[in-house]
Amino acid sequence: VDMYAKCGSLEEARKVFDKLPNRTVVSWCAMIAGYAWCGNYRLAVQCLEDMRQQGLRPVDVTFTSILSACSHAGLVDEGRRFFKSMMEEHGITPGVEHYNCMVDLLSRAGHLNEAENLLQTVQPDIIGWRSLLTACRTYGNVKLGRQCFDEVVQLDPSDASGYVLMANIYANACM
């Protein structure tokens, strides 16, 4: 299931999944991740609901995939709802990967200040700061872009992507 899903062959993954005698959290998560990876938010969430109906509880990886699907589909409210339910309904403490998904979700949707505030509440991570820096380029926010760039460089001075993104922000602003 996982192999087909990671290769983007979701029909094949689903065929194997449907033939499984016992579907575990691992097999459900593989399908959810596959649908999320291929941008099919609706089927990813449907798998989550089906998994719950089977009596299985989602795990941290499940929410990483669902939040990623929300991010790529631009579904901010749904992402917020899943992030909240992860903690309140399922007792899962968000890890850095969940925060990075939320930062990516908020950044892509133009909620740059909210994404920055969320980043300020967790242990610094270059992925989150780079996501926000990318959004600053997209939305032309030079000031916040410079702050994100400083964070990226502090975390990894050899990361070339930060320099390229900041150069593009300056170029787009004619600076």
Side-chain angles (χ1 to χ4, degrees):
V1 173
D2 189 52
M3 179 198 69
Y4 282 126
K6 285 181 177 173
C7 292
S9 300
L10 294 177
E11 287 180 25
E12 291 300 318
R14 190 65 200 214
K15 285 179 190 175
V16 172
F17 179 82
D18 288 340
K19 291 179 183 175
L20 290 173
N22 295 315
R23 294 181 189 136
T24 66
V25 171
V26 173
S27 56
W28 280 105
C29 285
M31 282 307 307
I32 291 168
Y35 287 130
W37 181 258
C38 291
N40 196 327
Y41 165 81
R42 187 182 57 76
L43 287 176
V45 172
Q46 184 60 54
C47 272
L48 175 61
E49 294 306 318
D50 293 346
M51 180 178 136
R52 286 178 177 168
Q53 287 178 354
Q54 190 181 12
L56 297 173
R57 294 184 52 84
V59 295
D60 60 341
V61 175
T62 315
F63 285 100
T64 303
S65 296
I66 290 292
L67 292 172
S68 177
C70 290
S71 178
H72 292 283
L75 301 168
V76 176
D77 291 336
E78 289 84 346
R80 286 181 180 133
R81 184 174 50 84
F82 281 115
F83 189 71
K84 185 177 178 181
S85 81
M86 180 178 90
M87 295 178 284
E88 293 178 1
E89 294 174 33
H90 302 284
I92 298 172
T93 302
V96 68
E97 64 279 357
H98 301 108
Y99 283 102
N100 285 340
C101 286
M102 285 302 296
V103 167
D104 188 56
L105 169 67
L106 295 167
S107 296
R108 286 174 185 256
H111 300 274
L112 305 183
N113 292 330
E114 188 178 350
E116 179 194 16
N117 291 339
L118 189 59
L119 272 173
Q120 299 291 351
T121 66
V122 296
Q123 180 71 24
D125 178 77
I126 196 166
I127 295 168
W129 286 110
R130 195 180 311 118
S131 291
L132 186 52
L133 180 58
T134 301
C136 288
R137 183 199 62 200
T138 301
Y139 292 101
N141 191 324
V142 177
K143 183 178 176 186
L144 182 56
R146 181 59 203 213
Q147 290 174 253
C148 294
F149 170 75
D150 290 343
E151 294 289 343
V152 167
V153 169
Q154 183 178 6
L155 291 166
D156 185 1
S158 66
D159 179 47
S161 66
Y163 296 97
V164 172
L165 286 165
M166 195 66 229
N168 287 334
I169 291 171
Y170 283 145
N172 291 341
C174 297
M175 295 177 85

